[in-house]
Amino acid sequence: MIVPNLVPTAILHKDYAGLEAIDGFLATQLCQSLGSQNAIMQHLIMALSRALRNGHSCLPLADIAGQTLWSAVSDIRTGTGAAPGYTFDAFSVLMDSAQSCAITATDEAPLVLDNERLYLRRYWCFEQQVAQHLLQRMQVHPLSAAQQMTADSLLAQLFDKSAEAQVDWQARAVEEALVRQVSVISGGPGTGKTHTVARLLLALQAINDRPLSIAMAAPTGKAKERLVESINNAKTQLLSKGIDQSLIKSIPDTAHTLHGLLGLRPNSHGARHHKANPLAIDLLLIDEVSMVDLPMMARLLDALPEHCKLILVGDAQQLPSVAAGSILADIPPHVISYLHTSHRFKEQSGIGVLAQQVMNNQAQESWHTLTNSEDLSLIADSEFEAWLEHMCDQHFVPMLKAKTLNEAFACLNQFRILAATRQGDLGIEGLNTQVERLLSRRLSQVRLAQNYHGKPVMVTKNNHALGLFNGDIGIMWQTEKGALDVCFLQAAEVRKVDVGLLQDLDAVYAMTIHKTQGSEFEHVALVVAPQAERLLSSQLLYTAITRAKTTCSVKVSKPVWCKAVANKTQRWSGLRALLS
């Protein structure tokens, strides 16, 4: 007979749905290191391990008390019956079990119980580091009288004050950011985040006695290129306003990936820049902050010199980072400057309305908008094959027939198919195969799952030696000698790499929604497979919809759509409480 508070040996053999071998292994190892034989504690650690894999940074005991996790599956050990999920005890019992172990913040154990949340110590340390750094930088530092006069004069040039009845959210964001060492600018697509940031950088340069050393960075290579493109466009606009050219030239025209900025070495946790060797900069701008995970943010903040200003930019409604954490969503609202007005979508734009409704979890209203707007279309199951053929003829055939590389890239950026998952006929692997099969019937150059002229591809693994990173997109292009290069647009310049040097490439007629963050296309098609239902959330749909500038097509059933819109993913974290 198994004593309830001891670890039953059968736990290691039982196949709980949703758990992986690493969860049980970690629980066993940590319980041994703590000298605990408590079965409740082992299950708490397994739940914590699973939570970390799903992007949470901790396990709030109150949230899982009384919950049954890991739904029943066949008992592989016996081959008969079913193994039930595990039901956690009441909150008081969970707390008693956790407190029976020496895992307070000062115990230096591999686990930490803090504020009724269970952490792996390294993630507790990450949260503490991030909170400490941000709190130190959130204090308001008023401008001197001379600085205020300079700022007022420049802002009058930068922003149109004629429409006094309307709030200029961009001007307000700049004014608020001038008096803070850390500023957070958030807004949806087309609200002018980069437009605002370019003006903020000018104003910060103008009010300082000496030129600021500025660095710009983003989480991925694609997001970095988008940032540079947007900043350079903003600088061109500023030239027409009669702004001092030396100020405009002081804004960088290059950016880094976060890994590149810190000098993180491949296959290593070591970095060139850290607390003992900080970055030699006065101001750091990070774009697409919603994609930045907790460990990376802790590293970045540790590498900043004390005097350095920090500007965080992003859309808090987008998908959080792939790894643990939800930094932008955890920052308290009073610290964030929100840009409320979208200049991308017309007032009655179906895409803009749909995005707002999805963000607000309005399932029925959003379905009505999806099925009754000119710039939105619903693709019926019976029409999908014919629709896909039409999209190939309209967008992909012209790309493959393009006479120049610039023409091919222009075609590629017009249209993209998005999916929530990789596997299955309606995952990106199946969709890319379907597209290539259709194209092979039209063009002799197209060969299924092989290299060919005009093929759009995505780098799927970081290649530090070549300076190419996961998510970078290029087009295969035949040289005069008949060989194939993969051509990448980097800072408006074409970079060519022999295809033989790149092993990790996927076709990219279709791509996952996660990979599109930081991108935009004229027409987006969102294909939602029924089996992807468990992955869907309002944030995922919002991210997909807002990649579209003018047209969005969606293949989905009403029940799946409504369930996804109603599901707003919340990540467990203690950061918001620390910052409030």
Side-chain angles (χ1 to χ4, degrees), residues 27 221 375 473 496 547:
D375 52 352
I473 290 175
K496 299 180 180 181
R547 300 310 92 203

Side-chain angles (χ1 to χ4, degrees), residues 336-351:
I336 303 176
S337 297
Y338 287 96
L339 307 181
H340 296 279
T341 306
S342 177
H343 304 281
R344 179 187 298 179
F345 306 124
K346 297 176 183 176
E347 189 172 341
Q348 298 303 318
S349 158
I351 297 173

Side-chain angles (χ1 to χ4, degrees), residues 189-417:
T191 52
K193 295 186 289 294
T194 311
H195 176 96
T196 304
V197 165
R199 284 152 177 76
L200 171 57
L201 295 180
L202 281 183
L204 286 169
Q205 286 282 23
I207 64 174
N208 274 274
D209 296 331
R210 60 178 180 80
L212 298 174
S213 172
I214 300 173
M216 305 192 304
T220 66
K222 180 64 176 177
K224 176 193 75 172
E225 295 302 326
R226 286 280 304 147
L227 171 61
V228 169
E229 179 186 349
S230 298
I231 288 287
N232 286 340
N233 287 341
K235 289 168 69 174
T236 300
Q237 294 169 1
L238 289 167
L239 282 170
S240 65
K241 285 182 168 285
I243 306 299
D244 184 344
Q245 289 195 24
S246 63
L247 276 181
I248 296 174
K249 287 181 179 178
S250 71
I251 301 176
D253 53 13
T254 59
H256 308 266
T257 62
L258 299 182
H259 283 77
L261 178 73
L262 292 177
L264 280 164
R265 303 180 184 96
N267 304 316
S268 168
H269 293 292
R272 185 182 308 116
H273 294 290
H274 42 75
K275 190 171 185 178
N277 182 34
L279 293 158
I281 55 175
D282 303 309
L283 191 158
L284 174 61
L285 163 66
I286 305 177
D287 197 16
E288 298 290 353
V289 177
S290 64
M291 299 168 67
V292 181
D293 59 56
L294 178 65
M296 175 58 78
M297 184 58 74
R299 285 178 178 275
L300 284 165
L301 293 174
D302 256 1
L304 293 186
E306 286 188 13
H307 73 279
C308 186
K309 283 183 173 289
L310 177 65
I311 302 171
L312 304 176
V313 185
D315 184 350
Q317 302 301 328
Q318 283 194 46
L319 286 166
S321 59
V322 175
S326 51
I327 302 294
L328 193 54
D330 284 339
I331 295 176
H334 71 271
V335 179
I336 303 176
S337 297
Y338 287 96
L339 307 181
H340 296 279
T341 306
S342 177
H343 304 281
R344 179 187 298 179
F345 306 124
K346 297 176 183 176
E347 189 172 341
Q348 298 303 318
S349 158
I351 297 173
V353 172
L354 184 66
Q356 287 293 320
Q357 291 170 335
V358 168
M359 185 172 65
N360 294 326
N361 306 105
Q362 297 172 292
Q364 295 297 329
E365 295 88 340
S366 65
W367 182 259
H368 180 267
T369 300
L370 176 59
T371 53
N372 290 277
S373 299
E374 289 185 3
D375 52 352
L376 299 167
S377 62
L378 186 66
I379 309 164
D381 287 348
S382 59
E383 300 170 354
F384 179 68
E385 189 172 340
W387 173 88
L388 189 59
E389 286 196 39
H390 178 63
M391 290 299 103
C392 287
D393 290 338
Q394 184 176 348
H395 296 288
F396 297 142
V397 169
M399 178 182 66
L400 292 163
K401 286 184 172 181
K403 301 297 184 185
T404 67
L405 192 55
N406 284 340
E407 184 184 338
F409 271 113
C411 290
L412 180 61
N413 292 329
Q414 285 289 310
F415 174 70
R416 197 63 51 86
I417 303 171

Side-chain angles (χ1 to χ4, degrees), residues 12 69 104 117 143 149 163 166 182 187 211 214 241 246 298 344 377 396 405 422 447 512 554 579:
L12 296 181
L69 301 186
T104 66
R117 299 181 181 95
L143 302 182
M149 285 183 63
Q166 295 183 338
V182 59
I214 300 173
K241 285 182 168 285
S246 63
R344 179 187 298 179
S377 62
F396 297 142
L405 192 55
R422 291 187 60 85
R447 299 180 299 279
T512 61
V554 184
L579 294 176

Side-chain angles (χ1 to χ4, degrees), residues 405-480:
L405 192 55
N406 284 340
E407 184 184 338
F409 271 113
C411 290
L412 180 61
N413 292 329
Q414 285 289 310
F415 174 70
R416 197 63 51 86
I417 303 171
L418 310 185
T421 184
R422 291 187 60 85
Q423 287 77 35
D425 290 343
L426 298 180
I428 63 164
E429 292 174 355
L431 289 166
N432 279 316
T433 298
Q434 290 182 64
V435 168
E436 282 198 322
R437 187 173 288 119
L438 288 169
L439 292 173
S440 68
R441 297 171 188 166
R442 289 158 169 78
L443 299 168
S444 60
Q445 74 204 60
V446 178
R447 299 180 299 279
L448 199 62
Q450 295 186 40
N451 297 334
Y452 51 86
H453 176 78
K455 181 176 182 176
V457 291
M458 176 186 286
V459 177
T460 58
K461 288 185 181 178
N462 292 342
N463 189 322
H464 294 268
L466 292 174
L468 294 171
F469 300 93
N470 186 358
D472 286 351
I473 290 175
I475 294 178
M476 292 186 180
W477 204 254
Q478 196 168 43
T479 67
E480 292 181 358

